[in-house]
Amino acid sequence: MSHIPTRRTTPRPVSAPPAGPSPDGGHDERMAELTRESRMGGLGTENRERVIRRVDMRDFDERRAEITDALWSAATESGFFQITGHGIGGDEVDAAFAAAEKFFALPEEAKGRHPLKKGLNAGWESMTQVRPSTGTADQKESYQLTRPHMAGLWPERELPGFRETLLEFESRCRDVALRVLSCFAERLGMKREFFDHAHDPASPGYQSTLRLLHYFPVPSGAESEGVWRAGAHTDFDCLTLLFQREGQGGLQVCPGKDADGQEWTPVVPAADVITCNIGDMLMRWSDDRLPSTFHRVTGPGPDDDHGDRYSIAFFAQADRDVEIVSPGGTYPPITAAAYLRERISANFAR
């Protein structure tokens, strides 16, 4: 396997999804994904016996082999795992959340001056994601930071220091994500630094994203059943890092092997952990050995906090011109840009 991932020198156009079958089999994949996700909208049942494993990342260089074994075992079991000892301090996490809360507290007119750049995953949006699993808009707003596309999107007049805080936090998240991905690379027969080269922040094709999320309050006494803060879905990227606030639950996961039974397991927030999950891009890159898992954010139950819910996610996804080539040849090669286009087309096919 190459030390450096293959990059296409003449990328496929990415402005619009193809109308029919593509050389990459995109049409069939989109329809299969739409069918798969559309059946995940039911309430289902709760399974608290399933364990979301935790992996301690302390002394990483000295314990690399042990950590790699633990990460691989946890990831292949359910696609979801949590890490501790990751090196991002509580003060750094608190500063990022404080910046997020200040941004979302701005008047809509102010946030609207930094609108989402469609196709570039940068800027502010509200109530625009409609999941195939629910057919309704997620009850949230978000702000996306994707480095090459941030011109005009920083609220520098309203929030001094916002830019610096988030750029530093994005960098810290990328370092952690690449540390985890280096372990997976070795298990997949790639060079340890393979994914570092595929996620280059200096590249104009860099498309990893830091996403600030604000889920809206639900009035006390309101009927919670059928209210989805985020409908069931899988992520499109290689690896997601998720930061949650204690007491602000709602995240649930359902591994693929249990999808037919619709058994959902809560992921309880904790201040010192990062919740991680495999995305569709890495599942393809690993010949399906690393599973991308359905997850959702439910509305609060009668005894839960009905107030605002905040989370921060970092999505490590390969640069636009990098080719995803599965080692075992399960899938045909495809650029990361074309792959994300296919996945977005599937998600919004309705």
Side-chain angles (χ1 to χ4, degrees):
M1 183 63 66
S2 172
H3 177 76
I4 298 176
T6 304
R7 291 180 181 264
R8 186 179 291 274
T9 54
T10 53
R12 294 182 179 90
V14 296
S15 57
S22 74
D24 301 309
H27 178 77
D28 291 341
E29 286 186 27
R30 288 198 307 276
M31 293 304 101
E33 177 59 29
L34 180 61
T35 300
R36 192 168 74 106
E37 192 163 316
S38 295
R39 61 186 173 85
M40 296 300 292
L43 185 62
T45 59
E46 196 170 274
N47 180 353
R48 289 184 175 268
E49 295 182 3
R50 183 187 294 125
V51 175
I52 305 300
R53 294 204 215 170
R54 287 190 180 181
V55 178
D56 185 354
M57 300 280 287
R58 284 178 299 181
D59 302 320
F60 181 77
D61 291 336
E62 295 78 11
R63 299 175 53 239
R64 171 179 279 276
E66 174 192 345
I67 291 171
T68 297
D69 287 344
L71 288 173
W72 184 263
S73 177
T76 54
E77 181 175 287
S78 67
F80 260 78
F81 54 95
Q82 295 180 315
I83 57 175
T84 60
H86 42 73
I88 299 180
D91 56 340
E92 297 175 275
V93 176
D94 289 343
F97 272 106
E101 292 185 27
K102 288 178 182 177
F103 176 83
F104 292 126
L106 293 173
E108 290 221 352
E109 178 185 359
K111 291 182 285 191
R113 290 196 286 268
H114 315 287
L116 183 72
K117 295 180 180 180
K118 290 187 177 179
L120 298 177
N121 208 19
W124 173 74
E125 59 80 31
S126 181
M127 299 277 289
T128 62
Q129 277 196 298
V130 179
R131 306 286 185 184
S133 58
T134 61
T136 59
D138 287 353
Q139 301 298 298
K140 69 178 190 302
E141 61 180 326
S142 66
Y143 176 86
Q144 280 70 226
L145 187 173
T146 303
R147 282 179 178 264
H149 310 303
M150 297 303 293
L153 297 182
W154 295 111
E156 295 182 285
R157 185 179 66 185
E158 302 94 340
L159 300 176
F162 180 84
R163 173 178 181 168
E164 292 76 16
T165 296
L166 292 188
L167 283 173
E168 175 61 24
F169 193 70
E170 190 270 354
S171 178
R172 299 282 282 135
C173 291
R174 183 177 65 253
D175 288 346
V176 172
L178 291 176
R179 207 177 309 152
V180 173
L181 287 171
S182 75
C183 296
F184 293 148
E186 290 185 304
R187 279 301 183 95
L188 293 170
M190 303 167 175
K191 294 290 186 181
R192 181 179 294 181
E193 302 83 5
F194 181 88
F195 288 112
D196 292 48
H197 297 289
H199 301 77
D200 179 5
S203 168
Y206 182 72
Q207 53 184 0
S208 293
T209 297
L210 184 72
R211 190 179 200 195
L212 311 181
L213 290 148
H214 172 218
Y215 298 90
F216 303 124
V218 176
S220 296
E223 177 58 54
S224 295
E225 185 172 332
V227 176
W228 303 107
R229 281 175 155 170
H233 63 283
T234 58
D235 290 344
F236 301 162
D237 60 344
C238 281
L239 181 70
T240 302
L241 308 185
L242 179 69
F243 299 82
Q244 301 186 88
R245 303 304 264 169
E246 289 194 21
Q248 297 183 6
L251 176 64
Q252 297 181 334
V253 305
C254 181
K257 62 181 182 297
D258 299 321
D260 289 340
Q262 297 272 335
E263 294 183 6
W264 295 90
T265 295
V267 180
V268 180
D272 61 340
V273 306
I274 301 175
T275 298
C276 305
N277 63 279
I278 305 301
D280 301 335
M281 186 178 285
L282 186 57
M283 185 167 78
R284 181 182 181 121
W285 226 325
S286 69
D287 294 299
D288 296 337
R289 295 171 70 188
L290 291 164
S292 180
T293 296
F294 279 108
H295 51 286
R296 66 189 186 184
V297 181
T298 66
D303 300 324
D304 297 329
D305 182 2
H306 284 62
D308 300 273
R309 181 183 188 274
Y310 298 91
S311 64
I312 300 176
F314 176 76
F315 301 99
Q317 45 198 18
D319 301 346
R320 293 167 67 88
D321 59 343
V322 170
E323 285 204 313
I324 304 168
V325 182
S326 57
T330 303
Y331 300 98
I334 186 172
T335 63
Y339 182 67
L340 288 181
R341 180 191 64 202
E342 299 284 9
R343 293 295 293 105
I344 291 169
S345 177
N347 195 252
F348 296 103
R350 288 185 174 179

